[in-house]
């Protein structure tokens, strides 16, 4: 009976090892695909950003320069969103004040008509 249990344990261990091998192959495949996607994305980013980062000179561009350009564009975008929000708030405030003035003006006109 001990021999049978040992044999079953060995068979279980062999199945576990096979499963671990299968999972490892799947993970390696997924990692390879992710790396390919990353390289593809990096190539696209370089293609889009390199001309802007290189400037008119058309000199060679490094990945670090592209990263810096992307950071710069991102910061500028954030600043634009912040400025747009501030201007929206300012516009809203001015419109509210205009409404108040308009309402006060209507009341004043009505009072003047009543006085005449």
């Amino acid at each position: 009976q001990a021999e049978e249990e040992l044999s079953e344990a060995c068979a279980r261990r062999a199945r576990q090892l096979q499963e671990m091998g299968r999972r490892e192959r799947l993970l390696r495949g997924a990692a390879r695909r992710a790396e390919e996607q990353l390289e593809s994305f990096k190539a696209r980013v370089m293609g889009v950003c390199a001309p802007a980062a290189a400037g008119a000179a058309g000199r060679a561009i490094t990945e670090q320069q592209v990263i810096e350009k992307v950071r710069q564009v991102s910061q500028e975008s954030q600043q634009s969103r912040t400025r747009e929000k501030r201007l929206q708030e300012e516009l809203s405030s001015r419109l509210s004040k205009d409404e108040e003035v308009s309402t006060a003006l209507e009341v004043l006109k009505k009072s003047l008509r009543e006085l005449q």
Side-chain angles (χ1 to χ4, degrees):
Q1 184 178 357
E3 190 176 314
E4 190 178 306
E5 288 176 4
L6 187 58
S7 177
E8 287 176 11
C10 282
R12 268 196 312 276
R13 186 66 77 179
R15 285 192 301 273
Q16 287 174 341
L17 286 173
Q18 285 178 337
E19 179 62 19
M20 288 172 64
R22 185 184 73 80
R23 288 181 183 174
E24 182 182 5
R25 284 189 302 279
L26 288 173
L27 287 172
R28 285 183 192 271
R32 203 170 24 257
R33 284 188 300 280
E35 187 176 350
E36 289 168 358
Q37 288 176 342
L38 177 62
E39 287 301 318
S40 172
F41 177 72
K42 188 170 87 174
R44 289 193 341 241
V45 168
M46 289 289 286
V48 169
C49 296
R59 56 188 157 76
I61 191 81
T62 66
E63 284 184 31
Q64 188 60 38
Q65 288 171 311
V66 171
I67 290 169
E68 289 303 317
K69 185 65 176 180
V70 168
R71 281 192 183 124
Q72 177 188 351
V73 169
S74 178
Q75 283 179 332
E76 290 171 359
S77 176
Q78 179 61 39
Q79 290 169 350
S80 292
R81 285 192 298 272
T82 301
R83 184 169 183 264
E84 180 183 8
K85 182 179 178 186
R86 191 178 66 248
L87 289 172
Q88 286 286 354
E89 290 169 353
E90 186 178 324
L91 179 61
S92 178
S93 173
R94 287 185 181 183
L95 286 174
S96 293
K97 287 179 184 175
D98 283 353
E99 281 184 39
E100 289 175 15
V101 168
S102 188
T103 301
L105 188 58
E106 288 302 317
V107 168
L108 182 60
K109 284 180 182 178
K110 182 179 177 186
S111 296
L112 283 173
R113 279 193 301 268
E114 288 174 357
L115 286 175
Q116 289 177 348

